[in-house]
Amino acid sequence: MAIKKVIIIGAAGRDFHNFNTYFRNNQDYKVVAFTAAQIPDIDGRKYPAELAGGLYPEGIPIFAEEELTQLIKVHGIDDCVFSYSDVSYQKVMNMSAIVNAAGANFKLLGPSDTMIRSHKPVIAVVATRTGCGKSQTSRKVIEELMAKGLRVIAIRHPMPYGDLVAQKVQRFATVADLKKHNCTIEEMEEYEPHVSRGNIIYAGVDYEAIIRAAENDPSGCDVILWDGGNNDFSFYKPDLTITVADPHRPGAELSYYPGEVNLRLADVVVINKMDSASPEGIQTVRESIAKVNPKAIVVDGASPILVDNPGIIKGKRVLIVEDGPTLTHGEMKIGAGTVAARKFGACEEVDARPYLVGKLKETFDIYPNIGSILPAMGYSDQQLKDLEATINGCDCDSVIIGTPIDLNRIINIKKPTTRVYYDLEEIGYPKLSHIINKFVKEQELTGEAVN
């Protein structure tokens, strides 16, 4: 049978994982190229030979997604494998139309071909959209497990935007490790809340190598926590799947890929942000769960907002800075910073758009529906400089930092700032603690504090 020529359509994450698990050593296929989207400045690289395996001694080139049609025709591509997440069904099928019209097959790889089995019990925390509150849910689960004396290793969905060989397996145990691995803002936002609480977290490119390193971590490992990102489904076969849904975007749980996959796979669904969502939005999410996964346990949750200095908000004209991906492909119109501005009495939410500098202008061109809030984009040194210049050039009294990290640590903000904090709180019953207790018993786990 003739070898099939393949392009993997991705965004520096699921695409590399799909290659590693399904194509790397598969002699029935030749992966001709990757294409890249969503993340700035990741095209024009190569997936390196050191990671690509013996069938690809020269590595695999990465092109901009805009070149897809031409690549299909020039190389006589048979299959295009769509491999990124947090996209509407309209976007998925538009891409299918582009691929089919160019003459190739359009494919999606599922869990059976891409999930790796761990030698340790796995809890997967995933979501229906970016920005649902998955990270605080992950932290809550880890706290419940650690309270039982169990050693938990978190593994985060990939964000390999730098040297891919150096990022094959990354281990973060301290804040200093973030600098050691040259982390972007997006990476720091995900890793720092873990390490600041004393948790060890792994990430990188090769998730087979990562899980084996995590299972044998020097600190010990009883449970793997998959901290999923970008509403992707787990890279590992889970023993318990917890899916977080967002009633601020009701209906998205049934209209975004692969968010609906996560909803259907869920053992537990956490409806988060109920303290700030409308009753109608909450009810829509409940109806979606009942429609596609009525056996799932539903946990009602809230993400109450705290700030370290309310006086910097009250009566002030504030610039709000939020997590970048939540505003861009996550399509959120408000975030924790906006909730804080309204809760603590800001007199005006200043529009960031007149003050944009450099690459931040490009971000708003690509995502014109962001609105007035400033996304904390920091994939490169230039973006960090542009973020700093935009904030300092803004005509405002103070800045609300709604990101999970303190931006003052990495850029020089010359205005008064206050940070927003939020953790998951369950409302009523059932609670995650009950679900974790059952999981621990079923897996026959024992720890220093487990009776």
Side-chain angles (χ1 to χ4, degrees), residues 312 318-319 321 391 396-401 413 415-418:
I312 285 178
V318 297
L319 172 69
V321 185
I391 294 173
C396 64
D397 300 321
S398 57
V399 180
I400 299 176
I401 300 175
I413 300 176
K415 298 177 182 293
T417 65
T418 187

Side-chain angles (χ1 to χ4, degrees), residues 96-249:
S96 175
I98 291 168
V99 168
N100 289 163
N105 302 315
F106 183 79
K107 292 190 173 183
L108 298 167
L109 292 179
S112 295
D113 284 326
T114 61
M115 281 184 177
I116 299 167
R117 290 192 175 273
S118 173
H119 302 127
K120 302 288 184 177
V122 175
I123 298 177
V125 179
V126 294
T128 58
R129 292 297 311 277
T130 295
C132 284
K134 169 197 55 57
S135 295
Q136 58 259 47
T137 305
S138 294
R139 296 195 297 269
K140 179 73 171 178
V141 171
I142 290 173
E143 289 168 4
E144 293 289 344
L145 291 165
M146 291 179 69
K148 299 179 181 301
L150 294 167
R151 298 164 298 181
V152 186
I153 301 293
I155 302 179
R156 179 59 169 71
H157 187 275
M159 294 179 282
Y161 309 139
D163 183 334
L164 297 180
V165 175
Q167 292 180 296
K168 178 180 178 180
V169 177
Q170 296 174 297
R171 180 181 187 268
F172 302 91
T174 67
V175 173
D177 290 332
L178 304 177
K179 185 174 182 180
K180 170 186 171 183
H181 290 287
N182 298 312
C183 289
T184 64
I185 283 182
E186 183 185 355
E187 290 170 292
M188 286 187 278
E189 287 174 346
E190 297 299 337
Y191 306 153
E192 186 172 319
H194 282 286
V195 300
S196 64
R197 287 170 166 78
N199 306 138
I200 292 169
I201 184 166
Y202 280 78
V205 180
D206 190 329
Y207 277 75
E208 175 80 39
I210 289 167
I211 189 71
R212 303 310 167 215
E215 290 167 346
N216 296 285
D217 188 84
S219 68
C221 175
D222 298 309
V223 181
I224 298 291
L225 188 288
W226 170 255
D227 185 357
N230 215 34
N231 87 318
D232 205 349
F233 55 85
S234 176
F235 286 12
Y236 303 118
K237 178 68 176 175
D239 299 287
L240 176 68
T241 297
I242 300 171
T243 299
V244 187
D246 186 356
H248 283 278
R249 289 168 286 182

Side-chain angles (χ1 to χ4, degrees), residues 341-357:
R342 297 171 185 177
K343 178 178 180 180
F344 294 103
C347 69
E348 181 183 343
E349 298 169 18
V350 175
D351 189 338
R353 287 171 290 190
Y355 309 99
L356 297 175
V357 171

